């Protein structure tokens, strides 16, 4: 959202943006792949001024569940470092912290300010069934950097604006 370039249908634009961001990420999560889709890793492609698709870059923060892939008949490639996890909560936290707590929350704030749309309405347009449960995980980056191992994720939680 840029000042001086108003959208004719900001609520429709935001709804499309949330769909382009969340639907493919949740599709992958259901299959055992969690992308760390924060603002630096995600690019939204616009077609005729409307969100059309998502481009993702930098697979460094991805988490993959070999067990979930096996259940679907897919053999995971060799995974090194902390990429592999069969913990569904770790997969969910990795995705939600970046995509919802980071990228989408910033858009909610920007659309709310620029167009005087209540954040609750925007969050309701972004809500998906699998996003409504539990608090919203956020990465506690300062705590991580001060920890003995500054590369291990440390999580905190916030009230989930899509819960309900």
């Amino acid at each position: 959202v840029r000042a001086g370039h108003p959208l004719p249908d900001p609520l429709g634009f935001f709804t499309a943006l949330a769909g382009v961001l969340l639907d493919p990420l949740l599709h992958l999560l259901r299959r055992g792949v969690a992308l760390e889709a924060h603002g630096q890793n995600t690019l939204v492609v616009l077609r005729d001024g409307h969100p059309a698709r998502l481009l993702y870059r930098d697979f460094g923060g991805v988490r993959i569940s070999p067990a979930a892939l096996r259940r679907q008949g897919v053999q995971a490639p060799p995974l090194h470092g902390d990429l592999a996890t069969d913990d569904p909560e770790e997969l969910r936290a990795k995705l939600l912290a970046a995509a919802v707590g980071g990228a989408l929350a910033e858009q909610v704030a920007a659309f709310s300010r620029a167009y005087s749309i209540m954040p609750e309405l925007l969050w309701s347009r972004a809500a998906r069934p699998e996003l409504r449960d539990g608090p919203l995980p956020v990465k506690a980056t300062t705590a991580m950097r001060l920890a003995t191992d500054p590369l291990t994720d440390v999580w905190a939680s916030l009230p989930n604006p899509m819960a309900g």
Side-chain angles (χ1 to χ4, degrees), residues 58-141:
D58 186 3
F59 289 91
V62 68
R63 295 294 181 272
I64 299 171
S65 169
L69 291 176
R70 274 192 303 277
R71 285 191 295 272
Q72 297 166 72
V74 176
Q75 183 62 38
L79 300 171
H80 305 284
D82 59 357
L83 298 177
T85 181
D86 288 322
D87 179 354
E89 287 306 311
E90 185 178 343
L91 292 166
R92 186 175 189 276
K94 181 60 82 167
L95 175 77
L96 292 184
V100 176
L104 195 58
E106 186 59 35
Q107 295 305 309
V108 167
F111 273 78
S112 180
R113 280 191 310 270
Y115 296 102
S116 300
I117 301 172
M118 295 296 295
E120 296 81 8
L121 177 57
L122 294 165
W123 283 116
S124 74
R125 294 295 181 104
R128 305 295 192 266
E130 57 268 64
L131 299 178
R132 293 180 183 270
D133 293 331
L136 184 62
V138 293
K139 194 180 278 188
T141 308

